[in-house]
Amino acid sequence: MDTNKSSIKNNLIKLVLFFLVALLSIFLIMTAVSMFSLPAPDVAGVGGNNNSMDDNGDTENSEDRDGEYFGQPDDDKKEEEEETAGYEEENLNNQDGDIEDFNHWKEQARERKDEVFNPSFGENYAQEEENKSLLPDAGNINDDFFNGTPNIDISGNRNGDGIPFGGDGLGNSIIADEEKSGHIPVLEVLGEPNFPFLKVMVMENYYKNRWLINTEEEPELKLMIGVEMEENFSKNSVKIKPVEPASGNLPVLSGNIELKYRHALLKYENTGIYVAENPVETFYEMVYTVPPTEEKLRNAKVSKSHYEISYSKEMEALLDTIIENCNSDYEAIKFVEEYLLNNYILDNSVINNYGDNDGIHSFLFEGEKIGNSLDFLSAYAFILRAIGIPCRLAIGYRINDTKPYQIVYGDQRYIYPEIKFEEYGWIPMDVFPSYPFYTPPESTVTEITHADPVAKRGTSFNVRGRVRDSHGRLLDGMQVLIYLKEEKDAPCLSYTKANVENGYFEVECDVKEQTGPGKYHVIAELLENDLYRTSSSDPELKVVTDTHLEIYSESTIIGTTFKIEGKITDVFSGEGLENFPINIKFDGIDIFEEVYSEEGGKFSKNIKIQIPDNLSPIKKMFFAKKYSLSYNANFYGTEFYYPSNVSVNLIVWKLMPLRILLAIILLLLSVAAIVFLIIKTKSMQLFKKPELALADGENTHLPLSDFSYVADRKRGRMKLFVEFPLIKENFPDVWGVGDTLLVRFVDERGNFCEKQLTFHKKGKYTINVSEKNTLLSSRQLKIVIYREEIIYSGQKFLKDILGKDIKISATMTLREICLSLKSKIPESKYKILEKIFVILEKSVYSLDVIDRNDYEMFLNAIENYKNQL
């Protein structure tokens, strides 16, 4: 019995020891596994050999492969390891939370993968033995669709009529082709772009080896009336000017932009594409928000995918591998890029012919794993879509994002992917990059043989020159851009363009409004072609202008202090000239003063006038003498500004102090007598002076000291009213900037006083009258620029009368819109409508002064139009 108990006890001890050893072994194995980042397994022929040998026969370790997958340079690994070591202890307690977050992302990624997968698109896969990768509406597309719709063809079929990838123009089918396209100038780009791409088209759908545009999206009409643009270089802004006027899709920046143009455009909201129905002959501008950094994208989430696709079992295994090796959306995006680069060969000279098989599937899982850029980009976009990350292909141009000015050529055609993030929208990804910047082999010499040395604003200047190759031979059939720059290296758009015929060019250049007086470099720069490089020449040009001097001081003064006020402007632009000396000289009096113009060209100065004893007055009175004087205001001009002057007459009343003192004494005695009578009778009493204040939108009070008011105290305080006599009845309380407005303050008995006010800034103002902090009366007033107010009211009026049933083209002028309405409204109303459009055209297109009369006529016409039955 004791023997059996001892045997059982020994067996139990051995069993416990066995379990302890087994648990310890399992723990050690799990610890060892967690210390290494294992490479992805070879899945269905995809991914290659993870234990591949390098040139020296050494096996790549897992740490090196992780660095490749996430885009981490080898030089930075040591530095990152040192930084990470300092945080290991701090993050130890957060590891469980991180693992939970990673697992949550993997779970979400699997759910997204299942959501986008639609097996119905691949029902015939087994029967037809084809690899199908389709999108929801693919069943509605037939072969004729490709003949009229732009698309990217990755089939490798050279028998079609497609345009080679990188070829000239943007035709229907874009195909891979090893031949280089023509080096033809297409665009001028001014400004530092947010991304190194210009987008022309976006390919959303994939069907039968073709990437297609979304033909179901309807464009929105953008009128862009009165858009303000500046042609100069500015931050976070890019201006584009076509070398040759062109219509159709406009090359635009990717990312979040605001496009500005002076004519109507069609906008495709989803793709961010703009279309011009008429040729663009000038420039358009794009103001962009600063794009997110890589660090921000690393922590960002992608938007919900709207694609539905089907794929093979091999593809599903690859998708599972990606999810297992990543912990975030951005890691998955980088993993796919590095996976393709590490396991496939990128060679644009290779053109795979996939026949009737799906090109993406064949490239990934069949053949020699060699492909061109279209193969890599298509596989990249499709794989990301399959794991629920929205990705599409954009067609446009690759540009240099470090240059403030550049000319874009046709052989810079480029295809790149865009990925949509929740916070940032569609962001372009620079994957599998190539740099299609070509330098022609032959040098050239461009010479300006003649350029006018001086040109006045409002006129033009002539430029002539010749172009030769390095051997002195005259070139023909090329083009030269003419620039006007204050500094040789200053970035700017071209002034005009000239054709080179038999080696020579000549062009007449109008001096543009934005070209101010000063010295400029006239630069002629040759546009490149396949053979000849650019060259330039840069003589100087002096731009001058006429000036206009205006005096608006009072023509009559009392006393000896005279305040001279005026303004000096550029005749061509009407802009005020700052910091220019104006000389004031009185005839017959030894007075000479100098005053400098300030902001807006305005100037003012107080001048002390000494009337000489030998000057006879033109009129004598008991307490004053009247003199007639004249003075000249002169601007003597500078190197760039021509002189101007003006002569003005001035009436001066010279007071007689002793006689005035006597009159004051008599007046005071009279006032004292009157006051004595008023106090004695106690019938009337003078109120304390009320306080009048003018308030703007921020309630800043400006006291007006010359307002007074008398009332009968026995009757109590009367109501006060604020009136604007110059604003006609039934018109809104609106007045123009810089115009003098008469303001009247009236009580119930009809007593009133008046004040003239001038507002120099548009906005909403409030006129208040108060006494001892008690508000007596108040009225609001809107100060506007009449041209802007007419355009604003006209836009509202056009929207009301056009409605939904009347269709207009994006390129129609105001006159064409008016004519299109002639058959749709009665004749009596149309005559009134013509008057409305005449005033609106004057406000939008002309440089004439728009004043109060135009504004009142416009409002009356609109009111008459509305009142017509």
Side-chain angles (χ1 to χ4, degrees):
M1 188 70 177
D2 293 335
T3 303
N4 291 335
K5 288 182 178 180
S6 177
S7 176
I8 292 172
K9 184 177 180 180
N10 291 335
N11 289 335
L12 288 173
I13 292 173
K14 291 179 180 179
L15 182 61
V16 170
L17 291 174
F18 172 79
F19 279 116
L20 288 174
V21 171
L23 290 172
L24 180 61
S25 300
I26 292 173
F27 175 79
L28 292 175
I29 291 172
M30 293 179 65
T31 302
V33 169
S34 65
M35 293 176 63
F36 297 94
S37 178
L38 296 179
D42 189 7
V43 181
V46 178
N49 184 4
N50 290 327
N51 293 324
S52 59
M53 307 292 287
D54 61 18
D55 294 339
N56 299 322
D58 297 330
T59 304
E60 296 179 351
N61 60 43
S62 59
E63 293 179 356
D64 292 340
R65 295 186 61 80
D66 283 344
E68 292 176 357
Y69 282 142
F70 295 99
Q72 176 184 343
D74 293 338
D75 295 340
D76 297 338
K77 289 180 181 177
K78 184 176 180 180
E79 181 180 350
E80 183 174 340
E81 289 173 357
E82 293 175 353
E83 293 177 357
T84 306
Y87 294 98
E88 287 181 353
E89 182 175 355
E90 179 182 349
N91 294 333
L92 185 61
N93 296 329
N94 297 328
Q95 287 182 355
D96 293 340
D98 292 340
I99 293 173
E100 183 178 348
D101 291 340
F102 295 156
N103 291 334
H104 179 64
W105 179 86
K106 294 179 188 295
E107 181 181 347
Q108 282 187 331
R110 293 188 186 97
E111 291 177 356
R112 291 189 314 202
K113 178 172 74 74
D114 294 338
E115 287 176 359
V116 300
F117 180 72
N118 190 335
S120 63
F121 298 135
E123 293 177 352
N124 300 324
Y125 172 76
Q127 299 177 2
E128 300 179 9
E129 296 183 355
E130 293 182 356
N131 299 316
K132 294 185 177 294
S133 302
L134 311 177
L135 289 177
D137 298 327
N140 299 328
I141 299 176
N142 54 46
D143 292 335
D144 293 335
F145 181 83
F146 304 125
N147 297 326
T149 304
N151 62 86
I152 302 175
D153 185 0
I154 67 169
S155 66
N157 182 11
R158 292 177 180 238
N159 297 325
D161 296 328
I163 295 177
F165 174 46
D168 301 331
L170 290 169
N172 287 344
S173 297
I174 298 176
I175 63 175
D177 194 296
E178 61 188 24
E179 295 182 4
K180 180 185 175 300
S181 63
H183 189 62
I184 300 172
V186 180
L187 306 167
E188 294 180 64
V189 178
L190 175 65
E192 296 175 350
N194 51 355
F195 297 105
F197 309 107
L198 292 178
K199 178 168 59 177
V200 178
M201 286 190 297
V202 170
M203 300 303 183
E204 287 275 5
N205 300 336
Y206 177 72
Y207 175 67
K208 285 189 175 181
N209 291 329
R210 311 249 189 166
W211 290 94
L212 312 167
I213 64 173
N214 183 6
T215 58
E216 295 182 353
E217 184 179 4
E218 293 293 332
E220 177 186 359
L221 177 64
K222 297 289 186 179
L223 288 176
M224 299 188 181
I225 297 178
V227 173
E228 295 184 0
M229 296 190 298
E230 290 187 2
E231 193 169 338
N232 300 327
F233 174 88
S234 56
K235 189 177 180 181
N236 293 347
S237 169
V238 170
K239 285 89 173 175
I240 291 182
K241 180 181 180 182
V243 173
E244 296 290 346
S247 58
N249 291 24
L250 299 182
V252 296
L253 297 174
S254 293
N256 294 322
I257 67 168
E258 177 192 1
L259 191 140
K260 298 181 179 180
Y261 187 51
R262 292 191 173 92
H263 302 282
L265 295 173
L266 297 175
K267 180 183 179 182
Y268 291 84
E269 188 67 36
N270 179 56
T271 57
I273 294 300
Y274 290 82
V275 178
E277 295 185 311
N278 283 342
V280 176
E281 298 181 353
T282 180
F283 75 99
Y284 54 94
E285 179 181 7
M286 291 158 290
V287 180
Y288 61 83
T289 56
V290 177
T293 61
E294 184 174 3
E295 184 62 30
K296 289 184 178 180
L297 291 180
R298 191 182 301 276
N299 300 315
K301 293 182 179 180
V302 298
S303 298
K304 182 176 177 59
S305 177
H306 60 278
Y307 305 110
E308 293 184 51
I309 56 180
S310 66
Y311 44 76
S312 62
K313 294 181 179 179
E314 293 93 339
M315 178 66 76
E316 185 173 14
L318 172 58
L319 303 180
D320 291 336
T321 300
I322 295 171
I323 295 173
E324 288 302 319
N325 281 273
C326 300
N327 297 310
S328 69
D329 292 333
Y330 191 76
E331 286 188 10
I333 292 169
K334 298 299 292 183
F335 186 97
V336 173
E337 176 189 356
E338 296 296 334
Y339 175 83
L340 292 173
L341 290 174
N342 291 335
N343 293 276
Y344 298 84
I345 298 173
L346 176 59
D347 187 349
N348 278 321
S349 66
V350 173
I351 301 176
N352 296 312
N353 193 334
Y354 299 115
D356 294 331
N357 293 327
D358 181 74
I360 295 176
H361 186 278
S362 299
F363 167 65
L364 290 173
F365 306 113
E366 299 172 2
E368 300 179 359
K369 298 184 178 180
I370 301 177
N372 53 53
S373 295
L374 295 184
D375 294 322
F376 270 71
L377 290 171
S378 298
Y380 176 84
F382 187 86
I383 292 172
L384 291 179
R385 288 184 177 197
I387 59 174
I389 296 178
C391 184
R392 65 192 186 187
L393 296 185
I395 302 175
Y397 300 95
R398 184 171 191 112
I399 59 176
N400 191 324
D401 57 348
T402 63
K403 286 187 176 182
Y405 173 79
Q406 59 191 298
I407 295 175
V408 178
Y409 288 81
D411 52 359
Q412 292 175 225
R413 277 276 303 283
Y414 206 76
I415 299 178
Y416 60 93
E418 292 183 326
I419 295 176
K420 191 174 186 180
F421 291 85
E422 284 185 358
E423 185 176 352
Y424 307 111
W426 289 100
I427 299 297
M429 308 302 290
D430 194 5
V431 295
F432 323 119
S434 61
Y435 303 94
F437 305 117
Y438 173 71
T439 301
E442 295 290 335
S443 61
T444 60
V445 178
T446 300
E447 298 176 276
I448 292 180
T449 58
H450 168 81
D452 291 340
V454 179
K456 184 189 292 188
R457 299 187 77 181
T459 63
S460 63
F461 60 95
N462 181 269
V463 179
R464 299 192 296 271
R466 63 186 174 189
V467 180
R468 297 175 293 174
D469 64 11
S470 57
H471 302 289
R473 294 188 294 262
L474 296 173
L475 301 181
D476 187 32
M478 302 187 73
Q479 292 180 321
V480 172
L481 292 183
I482 307 297
Y483 302 87
L484 214 60
K485 300 184 179 182
E486 295 185 42
E487 302 292 338
K488 290 184 181 180
D489 297 329
C492 69
L493 294 173
S494 67
Y495 223 68
T496 188
K497 179 178 59 180
N499 294 321
V500 179
E501 297 180 0
N502 298 321
Y504 293 91
F505 63 88
E506 181 176 2
V507 65
E508 196 74 17
C509 307
D510 293 331
V511 179
K512 298 181 180 179
E513 183 175 354
Q514 65 269 18
T515 304
K519 287 185 178 180
Y520 294 88
H521 294 277
V522 180
I523 299 178
E525 183 171 328
L526 180 69
L527 290 173
E528 297 179 347
N529 60 18
D530 291 322
L531 182 59
Y532 294 106
R533 292 197 296 270
T534 185
S535 57
S536 63
S537 178
D538 55 355
E540 285 191 348
L541 170 73
K542 183 167 69 174
V543 176
V544 297
T545 187
D546 290 321
T547 60
H548 175 66
L549 190 59
E550 179 183 4
I551 298 294
Y552 42 82
S553 301
E554 294 182 354
S555 59
T556 300
I557 64 169
I558 300 174
T560 58
T561 300
F562 170 53
K563 184 178 183 180
I564 185 167
E565 294 181 289
K567 183 178 182 181
I568 183 169
T569 57
D570 182 333
V571 171
F572 176 75
S573 65
E575 298 173 349
L577 306 179
E578 297 183 23
N579 202 30
F580 281 83
I582 310 300
N583 296 282
I584 312 300
K585 177 71 170 63
F586 278 79
D587 296 335
I589 303 179
D590 188 18
I591 295 179
F592 179 84
E593 297 285 347
E594 186 177 67
V595 57
Y596 279 81
S597 60
E598 299 178 349
E599 183 178 357
K602 297 180 180 180
F603 57 87
S604 66
K605 188 174 184 178
N606 291 326
I607 299 175
K608 190 75 171 179
I609 298 178
Q610 297 291 341
I611 304 294
D613 295 336
N614 59 354
L615 186 63
S616 300
I618 61 174
K619 189 174 184 179
K620 291 183 178 181
M621 298 181 69
F622 175 74
F623 55 84
K625 295 179 180 180
K626 182 180 180 182
Y627 294 88
S628 177
L629 304 178
S630 63
Y631 64 91
N632 295 310
N634 289 282
F635 168 61
Y636 293 118
T638 67
E639 182 181 7
F640 307 115
Y641 293 90
Y642 287 155
S644 57
N645 62 81
V646 61
S647 296
V648 183
N649 292 323
L650 176 66
I651 299 298
V652 178
W653 286 94
K654 185 178 179 180
L655 303 178
M656 310 294 288
L658 294 178
R659 296 183 180 183
I660 292 175
L661 179 59
L662 179 60
I664 291 175
I665 293 173
L666 294 175
L667 179 61
L668 289 176
L669 292 174
S670 300
V671 171
I674 294 173
V675 171
F676 175 77
L677 292 174
I678 292 175
I679 294 175
K680 186 176 181 180
T681 58
K682 296 182 180 181
S683 58
M684 295 293 292
Q685 192 172 9
L686 182 66
F687 259 154
K688 288 185 178 179
K689 190 184 225 181
E691 179 186 1
L692 172 65
L694 174 67
D696 60 13
E698 299 177 354
N699 293 322
T700 303
H701 292 269
L702 308 172
L704 303 176
S705 59
D706 58 344
F707 174 73
S708 60
Y709 172 69
V710 178
D712 187 349
R713 283 201 179 276
K714 291 185 177 181
R715 296 176 180 270
R717 177 176 293 153
M718 294 185 179
K719 290 184 179 179
L720 283 179
F721 304 93
V722 180
E723 296 179 352
F724 304 134
L726 297 182
I727 299 179
K728 297 178 182 178
E729 190 176 358
N730 298 327
F731 277 78
D733 288 347
V734 172
W735 197 251
V737 171
D739 292 347
T740 300
L741 175 66
L742 182 65
V743 182
R744 179 177 294 163
F745 306 91
V746 186
D747 65 12
E748 293 175 316
R749 298 174 60 182
N751 298 318
F752 70 93
C753 68
E754 295 177 339
K755 180 69 179 179
Q756 289 185 337
L757 301 177
T758 303
F759 302 84
H760 299 285
K761 181 180 178 182
K762 66 181 182 179
K764 291 184 177 180
Y765 295 82
T766 302
I767 297 177
N768 298 327
V769 180
S770 59
E771 181 186 24
K772 295 181 179 180
N773 298 325
T774 300
L775 184 65
L776 301 180
S777 183
S778 176
R779 186 165 178 178
Q780 285 192 340
L781 178 67
K782 181 180 178 183
I783 303 301
V784 301
I785 295 174
Y786 287 127
R787 183 186 300 275
E788 295 178 355
E789 192 69 7
I790 290 175
I791 292 175
Y792 173 76
S793 302
Q795 288 177 330
K796 293 175 61 178
F797 175 73
L798 286 177
K799 290 181 180 180
D800 292 336
I801 66 169
L802 291 178
K804 297 182 179 179
D805 297 328
I806 300 176
K807 303 295 183 180
I808 65 169
S809 168
T811 60
M812 292 174 68
T813 64
L814 291 172
R815 177 53 47 186
E816 291 172 341
I817 295 175
C818 180
L819 292 174
S820 67
L821 298 172
K822 187 171 184 179
S823 60
K824 299 179 175 61
I825 61 177
E827 182 178 0
S828 59
K829 294 189 71 173
Y830 183 75
K831 290 182 179 179
I832 301 175
L833 188 64
E834 284 185 313
K835 296 180 180 178
I836 296 174
F837 272 80
V838 167
I839 301 174
L840 189 56
E841 286 177 322
K842 178 181 177 183
S843 301
V844 173
Y845 300 121
S846 79
L847 298 178
D848 295 340
V849 175
I850 304 299
D851 56 17
R852 180 75 186 183
N853 290 333
D854 297 308
Y855 176 72
E856 292 180 355
M857 289 171 60
F858 188 72
L859 293 188
N860 282 330
I862 290 179
E863 189 65 24
N864 291 338
Y865 182 90
K866 293 179 179 179
N867 293 334
Q868 284 287 331
L869 298 178

